[in-house]
C-alpha cells in the first residue's frame, strides 16, 4: 500500500464527508477509494470511519489519525515546494503573529514593499501580546519582544527596543522632575502588565554597566502599548516605553524624557518559528524581509550584519526537516494505532 496516497485519500474523504465526492476530487474510481480506506483500517487495526448508506462519521481514532496525517502531508508539500518552480518565488498562505505596536507602526506601513517582492504570498497578520500556540493555531512565525524561553523554537534576533523614561509636562509640573533614580520612590508610574503572567513589567536602569531594577508606585496598569502611551500623555505618571513609539510625542513636547543619564536596558526583538517550518520558502522570505526592515531602522537597534545573519537555535537537534524525518513521523503515527 502507498501509505502517503492512503493518507491523502483518507483526509480527502474526511474533508468531503463523502466517498463519492472524495473520489471525484482525486480523479479516482469510488471502488479504489473504498478499498484504500479498508486497507488503511486493516493496516492500523482500528476503525477510522463509521459509515452507513446515509451517513459518514469519523471515529475518535480516525480524528486523531486525521490530525497527524494533515501535519505530515503539509510537511511533504513544503519539502517538495523547495524544489518545484524555484524561479517563481515563495507562494501560499503565511500566518504570522506580532505585537500590536510592531504591526501597526512598523509592518503595516511597509506591506507594499513586501508584496512588491513576494506578490504570491497571502499574508495573514494577527496582532496580540498573548502567548500563541503555533501548532494548535497553525501560525507559521511570530515576532516577540524580550528573552525567549521555549526550547522547541528557532529564533532569529532582528533588533532591540531602545527604551526611554518619560512623562507628560503636566505630570512633571505637578510632581516635579526626578533628578536621581532614588527620587522615583516619590513618583507615580503607569505600569504595563504581561498578558501571559498578569504581573507588571519591571522597571530598570543600566548603572555602571549593570542592570538595576527599581520599584515605582502606580495607580494605573494596562496591557496595550498604545493605551500605555495614552495614559502617560494624560499625566497619569512616568513610563518606560520603546523610543520609536514615543518619538513623535518627544519631538512635539507632549512627552519629556527624564533621567536621560541612565538608560533602561534594551529589549531584544526576535522572529520565532517552529523547528520544522524553517525550510518553507514563504517563512524564509518573511524572516529575511523583516530582519532587513528592522536592521535599517536605528531606533530599533539595527543589528550588525553578523547578528542578522546568525540564528539562535534553542533546540539541540540539527536544522532541517528531511524526508527521512517525515517518514519516521509517518511510522510513529501508524504505530499509535
Amino acid at each position: 500500500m502507498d501509505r502517503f496516497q492512503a493518507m491523502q485519500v483518507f483526509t480527502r474523504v474526511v474533508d468531503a464527508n463523502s466517498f463519492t465526492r472524495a473520489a471525484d476530487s482525486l480523479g479516482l474510481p469510488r471502488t479504489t477509494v473504498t478499498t484504500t480506506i479498508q486497507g488503511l483500517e486493516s493496516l492500523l487495526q482500528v476503525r477510522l470511519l463509521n459509515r452507513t448508506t446515509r451517513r459518514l462519521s469519523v471515529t475518535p481514532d480516525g480524528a486523531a489519525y486525521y490530525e497527524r496525517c494533515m501535519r505530515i502531508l503539509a510537511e511533504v508539500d513544503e519539502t517538495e515546494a523547495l524544489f518545484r518552480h524555484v524561479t517563481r518565488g515563495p507562494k501560499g498562505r503565511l500566518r504570522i503573529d506580532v505585537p500590536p505596536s510592531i504591526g501597526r507602526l512598523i509592518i503595516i506601513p511597509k506591506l507594499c514593499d513586501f508584496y512588491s517582492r513576494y506578490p504570491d504570498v497571502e499574508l495573514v497578520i494577527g496582532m496580540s501580546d498573548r502567548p500563541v500556540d503555533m501548532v494548535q493555531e497553525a501560525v507559521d512565525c511570530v515576532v516577540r519582544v524580550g528573552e525567549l524561553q521555549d526550547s522547541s523554537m528557532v529564533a532569529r534576533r532582528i533588533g532591540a527596543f531602545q527604551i526611554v523614561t518619560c512623562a507628560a509636562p503636566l505630570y512633571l509640573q505637578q510632581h516635579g522632575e526626578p533628578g536621581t533614580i532614588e527620587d522615583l520612590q516619590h513618583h507615580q508610574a503607569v505600569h504595563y502588565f504581561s498578558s501571559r503572567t498578569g504581573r507588571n513589567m519591571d522597571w530598570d536602569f543600566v548603572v555602571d554597566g549593570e542592570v538595576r531594577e527599581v520599584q515605582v508606585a502606580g495607580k494605573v496598569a494596562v496591557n496595550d502599548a498604545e493605551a500605555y502611551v495614552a495614559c502617560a500623555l494624560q499625566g497619569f505618571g512616568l513610563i518606560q516605553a520603546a523610543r520609536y513609539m514615543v518619538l513623535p510625542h518627544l519631538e512635539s513636547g507632549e512627552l519629556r524624557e527624564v533621567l536621560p543619564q541612565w538608560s533602561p536596558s534594551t529589549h531584544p526583538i526576535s522572529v520565532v518559528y517552529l523547528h520544522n517550518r524553517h525550510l518553507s520558502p514563504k517563512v524564509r522570505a518573511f524572516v529575511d524581509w523583516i530582519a532587513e526592515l528592522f536592521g535599517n531602522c536605528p531606533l530599533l537597534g539595527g543589528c550588525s550584519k553578523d547578528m542578522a545573519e546568525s540564528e539562535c537555535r534553542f533546540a539541540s537537534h540539527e536544522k532541517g526537516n528531511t524526508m527521512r524525518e517525515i517518514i519516521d513521523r509517518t511510522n510513529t503515527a501508524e504505530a499509535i494505532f
Side-chain angles (χ1 to χ4, degrees):
M1 173 186 290
D2 185 327
R3 289 180 294 171
F4 283 115
Q5 184 185 38
M7 288 182 176
Q8 290 173 325
V9 170
F10 171 67
T11 55
R12 192 64 62 87
V13 169
V14 174
D15 291 339
N17 197 33
S18 165
F19 279 72
T20 301
R21 288 195 293 270
D24 290 342
S25 66
L26 292 168
L28 297 172
R30 188 185 188 284
T31 54
T32 300
V33 171
T34 302
T35 302
T36 299
I37 297 300
Q38 291 173 343
L40 191 56
E41 289 178 325
S42 176
L43 174 68
L44 300 175
Q45 297 185 343
V46 297
R47 180 173 286 277
L48 299 174
L49 299 168
N50 289 320
R51 53 256 196 204
T52 66
T53 55
R54 296 186 176 181
R55 189 168 179 269
L56 179 69
S57 62
V58 184
T59 67
D61 285 335
Y65 188 64
Y66 172 84
E67 294 297 329
R68 289 176 176 270
C69 287
M70 291 299 289
R71 290 182 206 160
I72 291 168
L73 293 173
E75 290 175 1
V76 171
D77 287 342
E78 287 189 352
T79 302
E80 292 176 347
L82 289 173
F83 307 99
R84 189 191 306 128
H85 308 304
V86 176
T87 59
R88 295 178 58 183
K91 182 179 181 180
R93 193 170 190 263
L94 177 67
R95 185 175 176 189
I96 66 172
D97 192 87
V98 302
S101 60
I102 290 178
R104 295 189 188 105
L105 300 178
I106 300 173
I107 294 178
I108 299 298
K110 294 294 184 179
L111 273 186
C112 288
D113 175 69
F114 180 83
Y115 276 108
S116 69
R117 303 188 194 189
Y118 311 110
D120 295 325
V121 174
E122 177 192 350
L123 199 58
V124 180
I125 307 173
M127 292 191 239
S128 68
D129 287 316
R130 68 178 178 83
V132 172
D133 188 323
M134 296 178 68
V135 175
Q136 292 298 321
E137 299 180 47
V139 175
D140 295 291
C141 61
V142 300
V143 175
R144 287 295 175 255
V145 180
E147 298 298 334
L148 303 171
Q149 305 297 327
D150 198 324
S151 62
S152 66
M153 305 295 177
V154 178
R156 177 171 173 175
R157 181 71 57 81
I158 58 175
F161 277 164
Q162 300 173 11
I163 308 299
V164 58
T165 308
C166 57
L170 173 63
Y171 172 86
L172 297 176
Q173 290 170 10
Q174 294 175 343
H175 298 85
E177 183 171 339
T180 65
I181 295 176
E182 288 70 23
D183 288 345
L184 293 174
Q185 63 183 313
H186 305 298
H187 282 267
Q188 294 285 318
V190 178
H191 287 297
Y192 192 102
F193 68 89
S194 167
S195 299
R196 180 173 59 86
T197 65
R199 66 183 295 269
N200 292 337
M201 299 295 189
D202 295 326
W203 274 48
D204 66 38
F205 294 89
V206 178
V207 180
D208 296 328
E210 296 186 359
V211 177
R212 175 179 169 184
E213 293 188 357
V214 179
Q215 298 295 322
V216 187
K219 296 180 179 179
V220 179
V222 298
N223 68 340
D224 176 82
E226 292 186 0
Y228 186 58
V229 175
C231 286
L233 290 169
Q234 294 181 48
F236 281 104
L238 299 154
I239 61 171
Q240 286 193 333
R243 185 177 289 274
Y244 85 94
M245 286 196 65
V246 297
L247 182 61
H249 304 299
L250 292 172
E251 292 177 339
S252 69
E254 295 174 289
L255 292 176
R256 197 161 81 218
E257 183 174 3
V258 300
L259 302 175
Q261 64 272 48
W262 293 292
S263 298
S265 59
T266 58
H267 294 183
I269 309 167
S270 304
V271 58
V272 183
Y273 46 102
L274 295 172
H275 66 81
N276 63 344
R277 295 289 179 87
H278 74 283
L279 282 177
S280 169
K282 59 188 178 183
V283 172
R284 175 60 62 189
F286 178 78
V287 169
D288 289 343
W289 176 78
I290 198 169
E292 178 184 333
L293 182 63
F294 274 68
N296 290 335
C297 181
L299 283 179
L300 297 173
C303 300
S304 66
K305 184 175 184 295
D306 291 339
M307 180 182 293
E309 291 178 349
S310 67
E311 292 186 356
C312 174
R313 188 79 195 228
F314 287 88
S316 59
H317 43 67
E318 290 293 326
K319 294 183 179 180
N321 189 28
T322 65
M323 189 63 73
R324 176 71 258 167
E325 292 171 324
I326 294 172
I327 293 171
D328 288 342
R329 278 194 290 280
T330 303
N331 293 333
T332 300
E334 294 173 347
I336 291 174
F337 302 94

